[in-house]
Amino acid sequence: MKPLPPSAIPLLACVLRANAFQFPDCINGVLAKTKACDSTASAPDRAASLVEQLTIDEKLVNLVDQSKGAHRLGLPPYAWWSEGLHGVAGSPGVVFNTSGYPFSYATSFANAITLGAAFDDDLVYEVATAISTEARAFANFGFGGLDYWTPNINPYKDPRWGRGAETPGEDPLRIKGYVKAMVAGLEGNGTVRKVIATCKHFAAYDLERWRGLTRYEFDAVVSLQDLSEYYLPPFQQCARDSKVGSIMCRYVSFLVETCQLEWKTTNSYNALNGTPACASTYLMTDILRDHWNWTDHNNYITSDCNAIQDFLPDNHNFSQTPAEAAAAAYVAGTDTVCEVSGWPPYTDVVGAYNQSLLSEAVIDTALRRLYEGLIRAGYLDHGRGIPSQFSSPAYDALDWKDVNTPSAQGLALRSATEGIVLLKNSDSLLPLDLTGKTVALIGHWANATRTIRGPYSGLPPFYHNPLYAAQQLKLSFYYANGPVVNATDLDTWTAAAMKAAEGADVVLYFGGTDTTVASEDLDRESIAWPETQLALIEKLAQVGKPMVVIQLGDQVDDSWLLSHSNISSILWVGYPGQSGGTAVFDILTGKKAPAGRLPVTQYPAGYVDEVPLTEMGLRPFNHSSSSSSEVEDDQSSVEGGLTIQTRSIPGNKTLSSPGRTYKWYSRAVLPFGYGLHYTTFNVSLSLSPLSNSTSFSFTIPSLITPCKATHLDLCPFSPFSVSITNTGTTTSDYVALLFLSGEFGPKPYPLKTLVSYKRVKDIKPGETRVVSGEDIPVNLGAIARVDGNGHTVLYPGTYKFRVDLEGDGLLAGKRDVVVELVGEEKVLDEFPQPRE
C-alpha cells in the first residue's frame, strides 16, 4: 500500500469517521442538561440518571452486545465487542479502514503464548499500554469501541486445546503476573479507564470440538480443589486484586465435584450439576461478586457469544425457551449477552420481560453496570473540554499518529524476540555466522503472512516473515515451501526443498502447526509433528548440512528431533506477530541471545491416549469406573497406557490419569520453564542477602501476625535473593524461576510449584546481578496448598525452594534453600462452598 503524503493525512483524519462507534452528545444533545452529563456527579449517579431516562422498550434493546441506544435521547448504538488480544483486532466493535486511509492497520504484537514465554511482566505492561493507546485512537475516530475482550486467561492445561495459543501458558501464578501487567496497561492507572479490559472465560474453559463433543454442550466436572487452586487464580487477580472492568462468562456447563479433606472418599455432586456458567450464581455471585468483592465500580459481566443460546435443549438443556434462557442469564448476574449475527435464535429479552421472567429491577441493575463502565472510560466526557474525574485530554488527543509508531514497532519486535525459546543447540551451532554463506529457507512458515499473527489478530502494517528478514540481511539464500499437516495432496515440495538444501551451507526449516490445526472451535487429536513434515525433515537432515528447526505454532513432541544427530538446533517461536521473521533471525545470528522459557509442558505424543480432553482433573489418579472413586496416593500407579472413557456426567468416569501440567505430570519431553542460552550462568539462591545458610525455620504465626495486607494470601514470605553471574562470553537475559516442593498439605503432593519469577536483562560476561525482595516476590498464597474444599491453607512442614530446573547441566551454585514451618495450619482464604 502506497503511503499517503503527510500533508493529506490530518485533513482526511479530521473528516473520516467510521460508523462503528460514536460518543454521546453531552454538549448539545438531550442528555446534556441531565445528571448523566454532569461532569461533577459520581459515575454511579450518572449511570443511574441515564438508565432512568430510558423507556422499558429502550432498556430491552440495550441488553445485548449490539445495543441500539436511544435515538430520542441522543444515545448512539454501541457494540459491546471489540478485540485486542495482542493488538487491536477485527470484531463488531472495530472497523479497519480498507480504503488505504488512516486506521487501516494496527500493531500486531506477539500472541499471548509467545509473550508468556518471555516471563517479562514489564514487557507485558508495555505491550498492553501500546494496545490501549491504539485502541483509544481508533475510538476517537469511530473505528473502535471502549471495551476490549482481552485477556484470555484460562490456564492451558492440555496441549490439545485449540485456543491455548491465546493464553500465557499453563501455570496459574505465571498467568496472574501476566494478568496484573496486562490489565494495568490496558485500563491505565488513573481514575479514567483507558479502555475496559475483559478477562475471559470465567471459568474452567478449555475444550472446543473434540471427538464429536463441542463446547456448546460440554458439562465440565470440576472439583472444588482444582477450581480454587488452578482454574480461578487468574480471575481472582483480575477481579479481587486488579479490579478489572469486565469479565466474560463461558459457554460450558458447570458441575462442581465436592469431597472431604481426605482423598479416599466418595465424591458427590451438588445441586449445581448442569448449570451453564452464565447462569451460575455460584460463579458470578458467590465467588466473583461476594467473595472477591468485585463490586467497587459496578463492574459488569458479558456472556460469550451465543452462550445463552446454548442453554436450550439442543445443547445444555437447561432452559426450554429463549425467553427462559435470557431470564436465567440476567437473573444470575450476566449483564449483557453477546449474539452472533446470522445465528438465531437470538436472546429473547422482550419475551423474558413480557412473561414476567425478568424484572425491570434486574434490567436496571445490568444497564447501570454497563453504562457506569463506559462512563469510567470517558464515554460522556469525550471532547467536551470540561474537567472531570472521568475525562482524559491525553486520551482524547490520540489519533492516527499514535498507531504503529516506531516505538510500537520496536516493541512488537521485542515481544517476539524475548519469547523465543532455544530447545536444542548441539555443539553450540547457534548463533550462526552467515558471512559468505548460503542459507536454505524451507517450510510453510518461511514465507508466512496472515498465519504469523496467530488467532484474534487485526491487520498489521506489514509481515516481516523469515523470507523478508533474510532479504533485509542481504543473505544469499534458497527458498522452498513445505507441507502444513498430513496433506494428501501430491508431493510438490520435496524436490525443491532438497535442491535448496543441497545448494546451501546451512538449512533452516520453518515448520510446526498453525491455526488450520488448532484454533477456536478446533481441538487437536494429535500432538505429534505432522508426518509429512517429519518425512521432509528426515530427508533434509540426510543432506548432512548444519540444520536448525524453527518450530512455530503450538507445542508438538520434539523427541525425535532432540535425539537426531543431524539436527543441531531447535527454536520454538509460537505466533510471533508482525515482526516474527526479524525476531527469529536476530536470535539465529546472535544479535539477541535467547532467554525465553517454555510456558507449557511439552508432552509425548502418546499422552493423547492416556487421558481424554474432557477430564478436568489435574492430579494423577487410578480408579475403576464403578461407583467408588477411591484415589491412589502412589503417583507411580498411573504409568502406562490407560483405558479412556469420556467424563462428562456423574458415573461416566475416566479410569486413570497421569496428571496434567508440570505440577503433576512427571514424563515430559521438555518441562515447563525449559530454555537454553548462548552462555552459561552461575546462579545462587538465599533467603536473605546477608545469610549464607541454606536452612531456616519460621513459626506460622510469625508470618501472619505482622501482615498488613488486605488478604492473608497476599502476605509476603521472607524475601529471597538470587545472585546471577554470567560465566560465559555472550551478553544475555536470564529468567529466574523459583520453584517449591515438599510433602505438606493434602496428598498427592505436587512435583513442584512455581512461586515466583523474574527476567533479568542484559547480563554481560563476567557480570553478577542480584535480584531480591520485591523484584522476585513470594507471598504466602504462592507457598500454600488448597484442600479438598477449596480452602487455601498454610501448612506446617519442610519447604524446599530451588531456583531454575533440576538437572539442566547449565547452572552451578547454591540453588536450594530449605525452610521449616512450624505451628498450627492457618486458613488464608476460605473458599465459598456450593449451596445445597
Side-chain angles (χ1 to χ4, degrees), residues 489-550:
D489 297 338
L490 182 67
D491 183 348
T492 59
W493 49 80
T494 299
M498 294 299 290
K499 183 177 179 180
E502 289 164 355
D505 298 301
V506 179
V507 177
L508 305 178
Y509 181 80
F510 296 86
T513 65
D514 61 19
T515 52
T516 66
V517 176
S519 63
E520 185 166 2
D521 204 35
L522 178 63
D523 294 316
R524 287 194 284 173
E525 285 288 338
S526 171
I527 58 173
W529 270 86
E531 293 176 5
T532 49
Q533 291 191 41
L534 279 186
L536 178 58
I537 292 172
E538 171 62 15
K539 291 176 181 177
L540 293 171
Q542 291 174 3
V543 175
K545 305 293 178 67
M547 185 171 176
V548 181
V549 173
I550 298 94

Side-chain angles (χ1 to χ4, degrees), residues 455-595:
Y456 279 82
S457 299
L459 298 176
F462 49 71
Y463 295 107
H464 288 176
N465 58 29
L467 190 62
Y468 168 88
Q471 293 168 338
Q472 293 301 112
L473 291 172
K474 295 180 170 53
L475 297 179
S476 172
F477 68 87
Y478 298 106
Y479 162 69
N481 201 355
V484 180
V485 288
N486 297 320
T488 57
D489 297 338
L490 182 67
D491 183 348
T492 59
W493 49 80
T494 299
M498 294 299 290
K499 183 177 179 180
E502 289 164 355
D505 298 301
V506 179
V507 177
L508 305 178
Y509 181 80
F510 296 86
T513 65
D514 61 19
T515 52
T516 66
V517 176
S519 63
E520 185 166 2
D521 204 35
L522 178 63
D523 294 316
R524 287 194 284 173
E525 285 288 338
S526 171
I527 58 173
W529 270 86
E531 293 176 5
T532 49
Q533 291 191 41
L534 279 186
L536 178 58
I537 292 172
E538 171 62 15
K539 291 176 181 177
L540 293 171
Q542 291 174 3
V543 175
K545 305 293 178 67
M547 185 171 176
V548 181
V549 173
I550 298 94
Q551 175 190 335
L552 291 100
D554 288 307
Q555 288 297 314
V556 288
D557 181 353
D558 283 332
S559 299
W560 183 79
L561 302 182
L562 291 165
S563 63
H564 200 298
S565 60
N566 286 351
I567 297 172
S568 302
S569 303
I570 306 171
L571 292 176
W572 176 78
V573 181
Y575 289 98
Q578 68 183 39
S579 298
T582 304
V584 168
F585 269 94
D586 280 354
I587 295 292
L588 289 173
T589 61
K591 183 177 180 180
K592 182 70 177 179

Side-chain angles (χ1 to χ4, degrees), residues 84-87 108-129 131 149-156 163-187 197-200 233-239 241-242 244 415-416 418-419 453 455-456 572 575 597 599 672 754 756-758 777:
L85 178 65
H86 59 111
S108 178
F109 299 92
N111 221 303
I113 194 67
T114 300
L115 191 55
F119 283 86
D120 185 351
D121 291 340
D122 293 335
L123 174 64
V124 173
Y125 176 78
E126 290 182 65
V127 167
T129 300
I131 292 172
W149 288 1
T150 188
N152 182 340
I153 59 170
N154 297 114
Y156 188 7
R163 300 186 71 175
E166 299 177 32
T167 78
E170 72 179 34
D171 181 73
L173 182 126
R174 167 71 189 109
I175 303 174
K176 287 181 70 173
Y178 181 98
V179 164
K180 181 178 180 180
M182 180 62 73
V183 170
L186 289 171
E187 295 198 333
T198 300
C199 292
K200 62 183 186 182
F235 292 95
Q236 180 195 66
Q237 176 65 50
C238 270
D241 301 329
S242 293
V244 71
S415 71
E418 285 199 20
R453 302 173 304 180
Y456 279 82
W572 176 78
Y575 289 98
R597 303 297 190 101
F672 167 88
L754 182 71
S756 193
Y757 59 88
K758 177 67 177 180

Side-chain angles (χ1 to χ4, degrees), residues 217 308-322 324-325:
E217 59 190 314
I308 310 309
Q309 183 187 109
D310 296 338
F311 290 12
L312 298 176
D314 285 348
N315 290 309
H316 294 311
N317 195 27
F318 181 78
S319 303
Q320 298 305 300
T321 68
E324 291 177 358

Side-chain angles (χ1 to χ4, degrees), residues 644-706:
I644 300 302
Q645 292 183 343
T646 299
R647 178 179 182 175
S648 58
I649 59 173
N652 189 15
K653 295 281 189 180
T654 298
L655 296 181
S656 306
S657 172
R660 282 190 160 102
T661 80
Y662 75 95
K663 290 182 67 172
W664 306 105
Y665 185 75
S666 61
R667 293 178 280 125
V669 175
L670 291 172
F672 167 88
Y674 186 85
L676 305 177
H677 303 84
Y678 288 165
T679 190
T680 55
F681 293 98
N682 182 300
V683 179
S684 295
L685 175 68
S686 60
L687 194 60
S688 166
L690 303 179
S691 174
N692 291 320
S693 175
T694 59
S695 181
F696 300 84
S697 179
F698 298 99
T699 66
I700 290 177
S702 72
L703 299 174
I704 301 293
T705 303

Side-chain angles (χ1 to χ4, degrees), residues 65-94:
D65 67 297
Q66 293 293 320
S67 61
K68 304 298 184 183
H71 180 73
R72 69 180 182 87
L73 297 177
L75 180 67
Y78 184 79
W80 295 88
W81 181 359
S82 295
E83 296 287 358
L85 178 65
H86 59 111
V88 176
S91 45
V94 172

